Amino acid sequence: YNSRGFRDTEWPSNLEDCKGAIWCIGDSFTVGLGNPIEHIWPHILQQKIGRRTINISLNGASNNWISRKCVRILEEIHPQFLIVHWSYNYRLDKNIFVPVLDLHV
């Protein structure tokens, strides 16, 4: 996990590198719960196409949480690419600890 609490390497330090990355958002499938980081789909995608991925995912994330993060990223970063792995329809927001998405790089 990186310093922002997401299962990823440290993110680029400048905004332009963040814009050029592929942003991957989702639930435990995107986190890769129980798998080595080399086996999770954002990492495999990065290795296959040679372009930086940024993994924004949370175990048990609801579609509401995922959509809020998408909106923030789209409004603040304006990435070229954003891939969303939606969660189960029945997952609802709960009062649990979730990593804060601090986009100030």
Side-chain angles (χ1 to χ4, degrees):
Y1 288 83
N2 65 20
S3 62
R4 297 172 189 250
F6 293 101
R7 190 164 185 213
D8 199 358
T9 57
E10 289 302 321
W11 295 349
S13 59
N14 69 54
L15 186 58
E16 287 308 310
D17 288 343
C18 288
K19 286 181 181 180
I22 299 171
W23 290 70
C24 304
I25 304 176
D27 61 6
S28 57
F29 291 104
T30 305
V31 171
L33 195 62
N35 291 307
I37 196 164
E38 298 82 21
H39 295 171
I40 63 175
W41 71 262
H43 184 80
I44 293 169
L45 177 65
Q46 179 174 285
Q47 297 304 310
K48 293 275 186 188
I49 66 173
R51 187 174 202 143
R52 175 70 162 100
T53 59
I54 295 180
N55 189 349
I56 306 289
S57 54
L58 175 69
N59 184 33
S62 69
N63 285 328
N64 292 14
W65 183 88
I66 293 168
S67 64
R68 284 193 305 271
K69 299 310 167 214
C70 288
V71 167
R72 261 193 89 195
I73 291 165
L74 290 170
E75 289 177 347
E76 296 182 25
I77 302 295
H78 308 285
Q80 294 175 351
F81 301 98
L82 176 72
I83 300 174
V84 181
H85 184 270
W86 295 105
S87 188
Y88 298 102
N89 289 336
Y90 59 81
R91 281 201 178 143
L92 303 173
D93 285 351
K94 297 178 183 174
N95 292 331
I96 60 171
F97 169 77
V98 294
V100 175
L101 182 55
D102 179 10
L103 296 175
H104 302 298
V105 289

